[in-house]
C-alpha cells in the first residue's frame, strides 16, 4: 500500500492579503481602504529596484518582516515617520487612550502612601505609555528587593536608609521606599549663573536642594542612604563630573538607583546630550568610585526600534519591555 501526500501551492489572492491584514491589525474594511489609498499616494521608493534585484524574492518565514522593512523605508522616505512625537498631543491616535490610562493622580506622591508592588503603581503622572517609565518601575522593585537583602536584620529598624533623595519629585522614594526612608528630599537642577542655589528646609525636616551637581556647592549635604537618579544623565554635558557630584551626596554604604536611556527620542530638559549602553553607564558609575550591584538592561531590538518610530508601550506586552 502506498501513501502519497500532495501539497499544492496556490498564489495568495488579494482577498487573502486583505484578510491577513485585518487579522494582524484589527483594522476595518473602511480603515484598510484608507491604508491602501495612502500607500498608493506615496511615491515609489527610490530603492525599490535595488530591493528587487539584490534582496531577491521572499522565502517563507521572512516575507512578513521583509515587507515591513520595505514599508518602513517607504514611509521614512516620504517623511511620515516617526508616527508621533516624544510626547502625545491632541490629535494623536493614542492621545485619548493615554489620557484614559493615566490613572495616577497629579502629585501622586503627596498622599505619602506606599504603593503596592506592581509596575503600574510606580508610573508617574502623565507617562502611562512611556516604555522607559515601565522599565524604571520594574527596576525599582528589583533594586528594592536587593537593598532589603543587603540590609539584613537592619531592614527592620525604623527608617533603615535614613535620608532619601530624588531628582525633581519624591515619587519613587515615597511610593517604593517609604518605610525605609526617614526624609524624602528633592534635588532640582539650578544653574548658579541664572538661578539661586539654595537648600530650603521645611517644617518636618524635608529639604529641597537647588544646585548643579556639575559644580556642587560646599554646603551640599552628604548624608543620604539612598539617591534615585532616573533620566538625568542624558541631559548632563559632563556625565563623569556629574556622577562624582552625585556620589558626594551618599553616605558610605549608601545606595544609588541610576537609570539612563540607550534608545530614546530627543527630549530637551533643557537639553539632551547622551545615550548609554549598559557598559557605558557602568563605566560612569565605577569611575566615580561606586560598586555596581545590579545591572538592568531591558527591552529588545524590536521594542527599541518601535519606540523610535512612535510605538508606545500600548503596542507591546509588558514582558517585551522589561
Amino acid at each position: 500500500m502506498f501513501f502519497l501526500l500532495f501539497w499544492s501551492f496556490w498564489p495568495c489572492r488579494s482577498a487573502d492579503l486583505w484578510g491577513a491584514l485585518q487579522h494582524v491589525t484589527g483594522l476595518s474594511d473602511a480603515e484598510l481602504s484608507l491604508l491602501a489609498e495612502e500607500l498608493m499616494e506615496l511615491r515609489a521608493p527610490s530603492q525599490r529596484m535595488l530591493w528587487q534585484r539584490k534582496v531577491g524574492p521572499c522565502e517563507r518565514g521572512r516575507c512578513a518582516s521583509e515587507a515591513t522593512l520595505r514599508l518602513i523605508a517607504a514611509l521614512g522616505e516620504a517623511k511620515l515617520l516617526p508616527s508621533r512625537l516624544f510626547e502625545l498631543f491632541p490629535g494623536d491616535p493614542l492621545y485619548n487612550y493615554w489620557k484614559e490610562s493615566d490613572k495616577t493622580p497629579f502629585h501622586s506622591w503627596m498622599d505619602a502612601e506606599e504603593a503596592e508592588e506592581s509596575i503600574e503603581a510606580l508610573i508617574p503622572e502623565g507617562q502611562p505609555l512611556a516604555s522607559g517609565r515601565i522599565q524604571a518601575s520594574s527596576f525599582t522593585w528589583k533594586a528594592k528587593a536587593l537593598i532589603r537583602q543587603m540590609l539584613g536584620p537592619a531592614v527592620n529598624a525604623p527608617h533603615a536608609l535614613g535620608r532619601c533623595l530624588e531628582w525633581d519629585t519624591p515619587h519613587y522614594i515615597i511610593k517604593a521606599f517609604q518605610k525605609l526612608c526617614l526624609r524624602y528630599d528633592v534635588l532640582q537642577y539650578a544653574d548658579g549663573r541664572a538661578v539661586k542655589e539654595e537648600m530650603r528646609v521645611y517644617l518636618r525636616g524635608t529639604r529641597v536642594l537647588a544646585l548643579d551637581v556639575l559644580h556642587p556647592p560646599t554646603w551640599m549635604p552628604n548624608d543620604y542612604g539612598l539617591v534615585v537618579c532616573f533620566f538625568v544623565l542624558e541631559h548632563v554635558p559632563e556625565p563623569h563630573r556629574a556622577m562624582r557630584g552625585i556620589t558626594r551626596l551618599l553616605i558610605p554604604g549608601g545606595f544609588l538607583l541610576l537609570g539612563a536611556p540607550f534608545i530614546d527620542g530627543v527630549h530637551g530638559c533643557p537639553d539632551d546630550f547622551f545615550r548609554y549602553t549598559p557598559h557605558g553607564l557602568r563605566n560612569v558609575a565605577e569611575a566615580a568610585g561606586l560598586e555596581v550591584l545590579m545591572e538592568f538592561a531591558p527591552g529588545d531590538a524590536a521594542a527599541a526600534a518601535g519606540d523610535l518610530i512612535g510605538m508606545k508601550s500600548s503596542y507591546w506586552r509588558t514582558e517585551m519591555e522589561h
Side-chain angles (χ1 to χ4, degrees):
M1 184 178 293
F2 294 94
F3 296 90
L4 297 176
L5 175 65
F6 290 93
W7 178 70
S8 179
F9 172 75
W10 291 92
C12 179
R13 297 169 300 158
S14 59
D16 295 331
L17 179 59
W18 194 270
L21 288 173
Q22 283 188 321
H23 168 69
V24 171
T25 65
L27 295 177
S28 66
D29 284 342
E31 290 169 324
L32 282 178
S33 294
L34 288 176
L35 167 64
E37 289 176 14
E38 290 183 22
L39 293 182
M40 290 303 294
E41 289 170 359
L42 295 177
R43 295 180 61 181
S46 60
Q47 300 293 78
R48 189 176 67 173
M49 295 302 294
L50 183 148
W51 301 335
Q52 292 172 333
R53 292 197 314 270
K54 301 296 183 181
V55 179
C58 283
E59 297 176 355
R60 184 172 180 82
R62 71 175 189 88
C63 242
S65 58
E66 179 62 31
T68 302
L69 288 173
R70 297 186 187 191
L71 177 58
I72 289 174
L75 292 171
E77 193 167 291
K79 301 188 184 305
L80 294 175
L81 291 178
S83 60
R84 57 182 49 88
L85 300 174
F86 181 76
E87 298 286 353
L88 300 176
F89 293 98
D92 187 291
L94 278 183
Y95 181 77
N96 290 336
Y97 175 59
W98 170 66
K99 295 290 287 184
E100 176 190 332
S101 303
D102 194 11
K103 302 298 184 183
T104 309
F106 187 66
H107 284 172
S108 60
W109 45 270
M110 292 185 70
D111 60 17
E113 292 183 3
E114 195 167 35
E116 77 278 4
E117 189 167 330
S118 69
I119 298 296
E120 294 74 17
L122 286 189
I123 304 299
E125 46 270 303
Q127 303 188 56
L129 306 182
S131 297
R133 289 296 179 176
I134 291 174
Q135 294 165 349
S137 175
S138 181
F139 169 67
T140 299
W141 293 125
K142 293 176 186 294
K144 180 181 179 181
L146 179 59
I147 289 172
R148 290 181 60 86
Q149 178 185 336
M150 295 191 65
L151 288 174
V155 75
N156 297 314
H159 316 303
L161 290 174
R163 282 189 174 272
C164 299
L165 178 72
E166 184 176 338
W167 257 250
D168 298 324
T169 63
H171 178 80
Y172 294 98
I173 54 179
I174 287 181
K175 305 306 285 187
F177 291 94
Q178 181 186 137
K179 294 177 182 175
L180 295 174
C181 295
L182 174 65
R183 296 284 183 269
Y184 318 112
D185 296 348
V186 174
L187 190 151
Q188 299 173 338
Y189 170 75
D191 186 335
R193 296 167 298 181
V195 179
K196 180 182 178 182
E197 293 186 307
E198 61 180 347
M199 178 171 66
R200 300 188 296 276
V201 182
Y202 292 88
L203 286 178
R204 297 188 179 181
T206 297
R207 300 167 177 163
V208 176
L209 312 178
L211 57 87
D212 180 1
V213 292
L214 286 174
H215 307 92
T218 55
W219 53 260
M220 186 178 79
N222 59 350
D223 54 355
Y224 289 104
L226 173 69
V227 172
V228 176
C229 181
F230 291 156
F231 310 105
V232 172
L233 280 192
E234 67 267 32
H235 303 293
V236 176
E238 299 178 69
H240 284 85
R241 185 173 182 175
M243 185 54 58
R244 291 193 295 271
I246 294 169
T247 303
R248 280 181 49 188
L249 292 161
L250 292 166
I251 61 173
F255 298 94
L256 169 66
L257 270 61
L258 179 66
F262 170 48
I263 293 181
D264 204 350
V266 175
H267 52 292
C269 300
D271 215 330
D272 191 359
F273 295 100
F274 295 106
R275 296 294 178 266
Y276 294 87
T277 65
H279 286 179
L281 196 59
R282 172 185 284 270
N283 175 270
V284 172
E286 291 179 338
L290 297 173
E291 178 186 359
V292 177
L293 302 175
M294 184 178 77
E295 185 179 288
F296 184 61
D300 60 15
D307 197 60
L308 283 179
I309 62 173
M311 295 171 66
K312 299 297 183 183
S313 64
S314 51
Y315 291 95
W316 308 101
R317 296 195 315 274
T318 303
E319 311 87 75
M320 293 185 68
E321 296 184 311
H322 68 91

